[in-house]
């Protein structure tokens, strides 16, 4: 570092050395003309006059040193003006590095002649601080008139060009951080963030480049304002919770092929469900680059809403003749901000973009309907569920150092999203790979604290323990069920039809409720469970209101609806029933009749149901005790491997005599755990025999062997 840098010694001359002489002369001429335009109203002081004369290369007459009046300096200025302009060929076009860059930028960003000239004036002011004292003197009442003379346009045209929502402001070439009550020349020619990013180009040896090479050079510089996003890491099939994903691909391909203007897709959903990854996948499938509008600049400083929109506009103009998509993430920070732009301007932005825009948001409830109408497609992304989602999450969690069973349990958690899986894997790198069980305990604690901290935003995701410390049942397998008729074909038909009403009846613990959750997972839908007793209301008409609200909620969410213990509500209607009981039974019958989704009702007392109720279900499915082979498979899944050989020796006939349900097995495991007994074959068989006797009476001798 040099002392002269700190003290400002020779700062002006050092700057002049790197500038084009013709460019410097242009700045000097504009400055002198501005002074003469002001005349006696020019507010320069003695130091300003001396600095100006020094820059122009003329001496201040000794007899006027210390003066601040224009009249004392004007003769010398006029002589300089006459001498300088006489040497110029006024018929030729001004041609230097700055004007060349401005002309190319004007072509790329489709600027008018007036906008280009204002851009050049602003850039000159940015490069020559000697102009500033003169520009500050021009008051707002005379600014437009002076700019009109300098640019050769009318004052009204200048006024329109300098509006806050004009292209120079919105593209970030001029700054709109101005005093709205006054608009002096200094404010009008303040460089914006975009121009500041382009300013270093003047100091490069760009004049040696060809016209096309220079334009490509500027284009790449501007395109870097919205960096190219990484290629999508997932296939389209990974987003099975997005029913319109293929339509979105077809729509964007058509928009690109037909060069459709105003093509916009809005994608919204909870944080972490994979909205950004879906956009990357769409671009990868179409084989085009994806440009993303950042939220921070290269210095990690937050970009204001107007700056982000300015970058979006710039890149939209630049990729007009090349393939590509533009992603604008977190749009709620722009449209819903204090700096929100007029509705008409935003509507025009959505209608005129030459390349498809993909807009991403966490919610749309705050968006004005006028904006929503401008999106050809609006796609909601929900958390993924079902077998395909489970396989997808297991793949994402593959590097997590936990047991295979623990990984499957994590994949089934209601709070699991691609973002949550990525976070767990990053933390998992800190875990000891030799202690998977202890790692599962760490994850329990992590997620319990995390979900608790998130509060109401995840209130429906109960922060239950992911990995329980008690013996757990194996993953649900439909082939273990013993139903009449069989369920495999029925589930496939429900998946195709997307509607159906089933009454599931049979022994407690035989898998009726678990079947409902399994079906919802296969269909990728939410399961809404309502216990019949919770729907009963002590006030007349209250039960009917709860029933109507329940079915309305299921319709709105497209959920699988489960009515548990439905016999509580649908008893036989005889003379012994009260009128209010008949009323809510009739209401439920009407709701079942009109429901066009998937409805499951469970009961342990099918004989008590009203005959009219039975007719409203498409199918009655009876759940029976486990068949011998599925019973053996289930026991093998919960027993340690050293007991598998002994389990295989139990005769099939003995197993056929048992009336064991999956619920009995779960209860037996809990009993052994509470008593502190190990999960071994003999202990488990004894506990199951006791369960069987308690549930069915002493019909068989206790024991399996």
């Amino acid at each position: 570092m040099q002392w002269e840098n700190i003290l400002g010694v020779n700062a002006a001359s050092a700057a002049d050395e790197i500038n084009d002489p013709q460019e410097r002369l242009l700045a000097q001429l504009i400055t002198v003309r501005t002074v003469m335009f002001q005349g006696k109203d020019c507010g320069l002081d003695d130091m300003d006059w001396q600095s100006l004369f020094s820059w122009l290369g003329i001496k201040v007459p000794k007899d006027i040193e210390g003066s601040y009046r224009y009249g004392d300096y004007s003769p010398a200025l006029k002589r300089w003006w006459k001498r300088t302009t006489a040497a110029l060929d006024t018929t030729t076009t001004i041609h230097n590095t700055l004007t060349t860059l401005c002309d190319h930028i004007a072509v790329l960003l489709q600027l008018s002649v007036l906008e280009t000239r204002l851009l050049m004036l602003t850039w000159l002011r940015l490069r020559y601080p000697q102009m500033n004292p003169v520009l500050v003197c021009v008051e707002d009442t005379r600014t437009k008139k002076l700019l009109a003379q300098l640019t050769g346009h009318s004052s009204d045209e200048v006024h329109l060009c300098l509006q806050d929502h004009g292209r120079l402001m919105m593209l970030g070439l001029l700054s709109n951080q101005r005093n709205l009550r006054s608009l002096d020349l200094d404010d009008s020619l303040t460089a914006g963030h975009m121009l500041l990013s382009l300013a270093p180009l003047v100091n490069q040896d760009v004049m040696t480049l060809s016209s096309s090479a220079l334009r490509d050079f500027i284009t790449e510089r501007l395109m870097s304002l919205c960096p190219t996003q990484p290629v999508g890491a997932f296939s389209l099939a990974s987003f099975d919770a997005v029913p319109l994903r293929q339509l979105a691909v077809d729509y964007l391909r058509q928009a690109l092929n037909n060069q459709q203007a105003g093509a916009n897709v809005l994608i919204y959903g909870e944080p972490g469900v994979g909205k950004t990854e879906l956009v990357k996948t769409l671009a990868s499938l179409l084989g085009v680059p994806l440009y993303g509008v950042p939220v921070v600049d290269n210095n990690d400083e937050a970009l204001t809403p107007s700056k982000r929109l300015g970058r979006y506009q710039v890149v939209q103009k630049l990729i007009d003749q090349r393939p590509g998509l533009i992603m604008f993430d977190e749009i709620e920070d722009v449209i819903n901000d204090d700096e929100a732009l007029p509705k008409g301007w935003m509507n025009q932005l959505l209608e005129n973009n030459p390349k498809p825009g993909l807009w991403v948001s966490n919610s749309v409830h705050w968006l004005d309907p006028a904006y929503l109408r401008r999106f050809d497609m609006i796609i909601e992304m929900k958390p993924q569920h079902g077998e395909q989602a489970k396989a997808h999450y297991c793949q994402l969690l593959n590097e997590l150092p936990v047991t295979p069973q623990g990984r499957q349990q994590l994949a089934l958690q209601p709070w699991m999203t691609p973002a949550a899986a990525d976070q767990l894997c990053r933390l998992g790198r800190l875990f000891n790979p030799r202690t998977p069980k202890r790692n599962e305990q760490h994850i329990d604690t992590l997620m319990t604290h995390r979900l608790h901290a998130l509060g109401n935003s995840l209130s429906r995701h109960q922060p239950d323990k992911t990995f329980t410390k008690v013996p757990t049942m194996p993953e649900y397998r439909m082939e273990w069920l013993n139903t009449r008729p069989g369920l495999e074909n029925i589930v496939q038909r429900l998946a195709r039809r997307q509607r159906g009403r089933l009454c599931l009846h049979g022994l407690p613990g035989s898998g009726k409720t678990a079947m409902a959750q399994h079906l919802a997972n296969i269909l990728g839908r939410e399961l809404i469970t309502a216990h019949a007793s919770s729907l009963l209301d002590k006030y007349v008409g209250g039960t009917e209101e709860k029933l109507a609200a329940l079915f309305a909620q299921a319709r709105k969410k497209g959920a699988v609806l489960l009515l548990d213990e439905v016999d509580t509500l649908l008893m036989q209607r005889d003379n012994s029933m009260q009128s209010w009981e008949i009323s809510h039974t009739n209401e439920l019958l009407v709701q079942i009749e009109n429901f066009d989704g998937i409805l499951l009702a469970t009961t342990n007392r099918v004989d008590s149901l009203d005959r009219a109720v039975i007719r409203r279900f498409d199918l009655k499915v009876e759940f029976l005790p486990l068949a011998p082979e599925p019973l053996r498979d289930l026991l093998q899944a919960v027993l340690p491997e050293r007991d598998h050989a002994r389990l295989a020796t139990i005769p099939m006939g003995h197993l056929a005599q048992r009336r064991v349900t999956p619920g009995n097995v779960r209860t037996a495991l809990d009993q052994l755990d509470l008593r502190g007994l190990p999960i071994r074959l003999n202990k488990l068989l004894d506990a199951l025999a006791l369960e069987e006797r308690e549930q069915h009476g002493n019909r068989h001798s206790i024991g399996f062997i």
Side-chain angles (χ1 to χ4, degrees), residues 67-78:
S67 173
Y68 59 86
R69 293 179 302 177
Y70 169 76
D72 292 334
Y73 295 93
S74 62
L77 280 179
K78 290 177 180 178

Side-chain angles (χ1 to χ4, degrees), residues 20 22-23 26 88-100 102-103 113 116-117 120 207:
D20 186 326
Q22 190 182 65
E23 176 191 312
L26 178 62
L88 292 176
D89 182 0
T90 57
T91 62
T92 61
T93 303
I94 300 175
H95 182 70
N96 54 48
T97 303
L98 181 62
T99 57
T100 300
C102 287
D103 288 341
V113 174
T116 306
R117 291 175 179 175
M120 186 177 64
M207 294 300 289

Side-chain angles (χ1 to χ4, degrees), residues 17 21 30 35 90 95 128 144 157 167 281 315 351 354 405 452 472 539 563 629 631 704:
E17 288 177 1
I30 291 173
V35 172
T90 57
H95 182 70
Y128 293 91
K144 286 179 287 187
E157 289 176 307
R167 281 188 294 182
T281 298
V315 176
E351 292 171 354
Q405 295 80 9
H452 179 72
T472 58
Y539 297 106
L563 295 177
E629 197 59 41
L631 175 57
F704 278 71

Side-chain angles (χ1 to χ4, degrees), residues 2 7 28-29 36 40 60 98 102 144 184 195 208 251 266 329 331 356 393 414 458 493 573 613 632 639 665:
Q2 303 296 323
L7 300 177
Q28 291 172 335
L29 288 168
M36 293 190 295
K40 63 180 181 180
V60 178
L98 181 62
C102 287
K144 286 179 287 187
D184 58 34
L195 181 55
T208 61
Y251 167 78
L266 173 62
D329 203 352
I331 63 172
Y393 290 139
L458 284 178
R493 291 288 297 169
R573 293 170 293 182
V613 173
R632 194 192 303 274
L639 287 169
V665 177

